Amino acid sequence: MSLLFADEEFQGAWRELDEPQLDGGWELFTETMGVKIYRLYDQETGLYEYKVFGVLDTCTPELCADVYMDLKYRKDWDKYAKELYEKDYDGQTAIYWEVKYPFPMSNRDYVYVRERRDLDVDGRKIWVILARSSPEMPCEEKSGVLRVKDYKQSVALESDGGCGTRVFLNYFDNPGGMIPTWLVNWAAKSGVPGFLTDMQKACSNYRSYCQRK
C-alpha cells in the first residue's frame, strides 16, 4: 500500500510549532483560554480554513497523541461522536465517523484516512497526526445523514518544556447543506477551545479508562 501522506506534509505540520505560516490572508479570529485561532477565507467554498495554536497544561504530548488516536475512547468522552470506528474497505483501512448536529439539522458523517508519526527532529520529539477525507472509499451514505467529502486535519504536538504540550492544529471542513453563520462561528470560537478542554480532561482520565477495559 502506498504511503497515505508525504514526508513534506508531516514536516509542514511540525514546523508551524516553530514558525506559524500566516501569510497570504490569514487573520486572527479569536483568542480565548490561551488558544489563538486564525482563519483563512476559501473563495471556492465561502468557508474558512482554521489554524489553532495553544498549550495543554496537564498532559504530555505522547499521551495526547495516544488519546487522539484511540477511537473507542473518544466515543467515551466526545459527546458529539455518535459513531466512530475503523473499517476495512476493499483492503484499505479507513475511519467512519458520524457527528451529532443540533436539531433540526442533519448529522454529518466522514470517511477518512489518517496516519501518525512519532518524529525525532534534531533531538526534539514531535508527534504529528494527519487526516483527510477519502470519498473514494466504497462506504454507502446513510439516509438522513450528510456525507462530508472535503475534510482535512493536521495536528503537531511537542512538550512545552514542563508537564504540558504545545499544540498546533490545522483543519478545513466543508459540512455541506445550509449551516447558519452563527453555528459556524460558534464551532470555531467555542467548539475548538471546548474540544481542547475536553481533550485535556480525557488525557487525565485515560489511565483509569485503560485499566477498566
Side-chain angles (χ1 to χ4, degrees):
M1 182 179 139
S2 60
L3 291 174
L4 296 174
F5 300 91
D7 292 345
E8 291 76 20
E9 293 177 82
F10 286 92
Q11 290 168 6
W14 70 255
R15 282 183 178 139
E16 296 262 6
L17 290 168
D18 293 345
E19 294 180 21
Q21 302 297 304
L22 298 170
D23 293 338
W26 287 93
E27 60 180 16
L28 180 63
F29 178 46
T30 187
E31 185 171 359
T32 177
M33 296 158 48
V35 177
K36 283 186 177 180
I37 303 176
Y38 294 84
R39 68 181 184 180
L40 177 69
Y41 185 70
D42 182 73
Q43 297 280 356
E44 195 177 323
T45 61
L47 299 168
Y48 286 94
E49 179 177 349
Y50 295 92
K51 287 185 177 182
V52 181
F53 301 86
V55 174
L56 299 178
D57 294 318
T58 59
C59 42
T60 65
E62 185 170 17
L63 177 59
C64 285
D66 289 345
V67 167
Y68 193 87
M69 293 293 288
D70 192 327
L71 301 178
K72 284 184 181 172
Y73 183 45
R74 180 153 177 179
K75 274 203 73 185
D76 201 66
W77 62 266
D78 183 351
K79 60 182 179 286
Y80 298 107
K82 183 176 181 185
E83 289 191 51
L84 184 58
Y85 54 82
E86 266 189 345
K87 188 175 175 182
D88 187 80
Y89 296 95
D90 291 347
Q92 281 253 52
T93 299
I95 294 163
Y96 177 82
W97 179 28
E98 183 179 342
V99 178
K100 297 174 190 172
Y101 266 58
F103 181 82
M105 286 180 288
S106 301
N107 286 355
R108 265 54 175 181
D109 69 2
Y110 302 70
V111 179
Y112 69 96
V113 292
R114 68 174 180 179
E115 186 179 345
R116 165 180 165 173
R117 290 192 193 173
D118 302 353
L119 305 174
D120 186 315
V121 181
D122 298 326
R124 294 164 61 191
K125 292 196 178 302
I126 303 176
W127 288 258
V128 178
I129 302 160
L130 304 181
R132 67 162 168 259
S133 51
S134 189
E136 71 279 2
M137 291 290 175
C139 176
E140 276 189 42
E141 297 189 24
K142 289 183 182 177
S143 173
V145 178
L146 284 178
R147 175 67 46 85
V148 176
K149 293 176 178 156
D150 190 4
Y151 160 75
K152 68 172 184 178
Q153 187 172 93
S154 57
V155 181
L157 307 162
E158 183 181 28
S159 171
D160 66 351
C163 302
T165 298
R166 295 172 61 221
V167 178
F168 164 71
L169 173 68
N170 176 210
Y171 70 96
F172 177 80
D173 187 329
N174 183 353
M178 296 299 291
I179 304 284
T181 305
W182 68 263
L183 181 61
V184 174
N185 286 338
W186 172 86
K189 282 192 173 178
S190 308
V192 173
F195 172 77
L196 293 177
T197 301
D198 289 347
M199 176 92 178
Q200 191 154 264
K201 198 182 297 180
C203 288
S204 306
N205 297 330
Y206 192 49
R207 182 179 290 177
S208 60
Y209 166 82
C210 291
Q211 287 169 348
R212 291 199 312 270
K213 281 202 301 183

